[in-house]
């Protein structure tokens, strides 16, 4: 009510947000790159460009994170990567921006030899992840996403942090529309959105061999002078 009172008179931006469509934009870097450090475990970052914050399709990116992150009960990648020891950890992040957001995965592997298998797994998931999700799974995950939004409503600090992203986008009401878009989502709308951006040509793969995970090299043996 306070926001409506203070900001309802502020006119919406004249320029309407266009429907999100993938385009082959010119790249200023490589689609895949590796930063190496001797004798260290790989940390893989996988990035996808997703719809902007106030797009109706942004909710699908949030939903995708719940199906990938092992912190949820319906993690599709749990058995495929973690239980089979093909990865040590998997985390999903969504970074909201006004002009196109980012969906990021952080996957920690045990050895560099697992990279080839991970690339193959990503290609399979880009074809099948949307098809694997059913209405029953969507409904189960809605409760978790909506619960997070409800927690924000109860904490002034969390509420301000959450709605600030939408205020900056020039459309603070998209904060409330996001709730409705999650609540009304079904497997068909989720599948349609995910297939637009969860694609190999929209992927950038960064492989980092973190020196903090590496074991120090043994000191070379020195000959003593007799």
């Amino acid at each position: 009510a306070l926001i409506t009172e203070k900001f309802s008179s502020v006119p919406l931006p004249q320029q309407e947000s266009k429907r999100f469509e993938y385009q082959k934009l010119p790249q200023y870097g490589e689609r895949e790159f590796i930063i190496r450090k001797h004798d260290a475990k790989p940390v893989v970052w996988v990035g996808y460009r997703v719809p902007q914050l106030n797009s109706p399709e942004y909710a699908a990116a949030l939903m995708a994170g719940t199906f990938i992150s092992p912190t949820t009960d319906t993690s599709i990648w749990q058995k495929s990567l973690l239980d089979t020891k093909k990865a040590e950890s998997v985390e999903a992040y969504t970074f909201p921006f006004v002009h196109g957001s980012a969906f990021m995965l952080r996957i920690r592997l045990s050895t560099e030899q697992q990279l080839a298998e991970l690339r193959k797994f990503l290609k399979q998931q880009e074809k099948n992840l949307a098809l694997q999700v059913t209405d029953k799974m969507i409904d189960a995950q809605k409760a978790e996403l909506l619960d997070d939004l409800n927690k924000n409503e109860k904490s002034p600090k969390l509420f301000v942090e959450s709605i600030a992203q939408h205020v900056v986008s020039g459309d603070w009401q998209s904060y409330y529309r996001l709730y409705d878009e999650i609540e009304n989502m079904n497997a068909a709308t989720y599948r349609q959105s995910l297939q637009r951006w969860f694609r190999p040509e929209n992927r950038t793969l960064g492989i980092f061999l973190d020196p903090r995970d590496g074991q120090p090299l043994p000191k070379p043996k020195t000959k003593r002078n007799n």
Side-chain angles (χ1 to χ4, degrees), residues 112-128:
E112 191 172 353
Q113 284 68 34
Q114 293 176 318
L115 287 172
E117 193 168 1
L118 177 63
R119 289 191 184 96
K120 182 179 178 181
F121 175 78
L122 282 173
K123 290 181 180 179
Q124 293 172 342
Q125 288 296 296
E126 286 164 347
K127 293 180 180 178
N128 300 325

Side-chain angles (χ1 to χ4, degrees), residues 146-160 162 175-176 179:
L146 296 177
D147 184 57
D148 289 341
L149 292 178
N150 289 329
K151 287 178 181 177
N152 294 341
E153 296 285 343
K154 297 176 182 178
S155 168
K157 180 181 178 181
L158 292 177
F159 173 71
V160 169
S162 299
Y175 173 85
Y176 296 99
Y179 190 102

Side-chain angles (χ1 to χ4, degrees), residues 22-24 27 31 126 196 199-204:
Y22 172 78
Q23 295 180 354
K24 274 196 171 182
Q27 297 298 306
R31 283 295 188 184
E126 286 164 347
R196 294 179 191 273
R199 299 159 54 178
E201 61 267 31
N202 192 35
R203 179 215 311 151
T204 297

Side-chain angles (χ1 to χ4, degrees), residues 80-136:
S80 300
L81 286 181
L82 300 176
D83 293 351
T84 55
K85 307 298 182 184
K86 295 177 182 177
E88 291 188 2
S89 64
V90 178
E91 297 167 287
Y93 306 89
T94 307
F95 297 96
F97 301 110
V98 178
H99 303 292
S101 302
F103 181 80
M104 303 285 290
L105 302 173
R106 182 180 185 272
I107 306 169
R108 185 183 293 274
L109 304 178
S110 298
T111 65
E112 191 172 353
Q113 284 68 34
Q114 293 176 318
L115 287 172
E117 193 168 1
L118 177 63
R119 289 191 184 96
K120 182 179 178 181
F121 175 78
L122 282 173
K123 290 181 180 179
Q124 293 172 342
Q125 288 296 296
E126 286 164 347
K127 293 180 180 178
N128 300 325
L129 180 60
L131 302 176
Q132 291 174 280
V133 175
T134 63
D135 283 325
K136 185 177 180 180

Side-chain angles (χ1 to χ4, degrees), residues 218-224:
K219 294 182 179 179
K221 295 181 180 180
T222 57
K223 294 182 179 182
R224 292 183 179 181

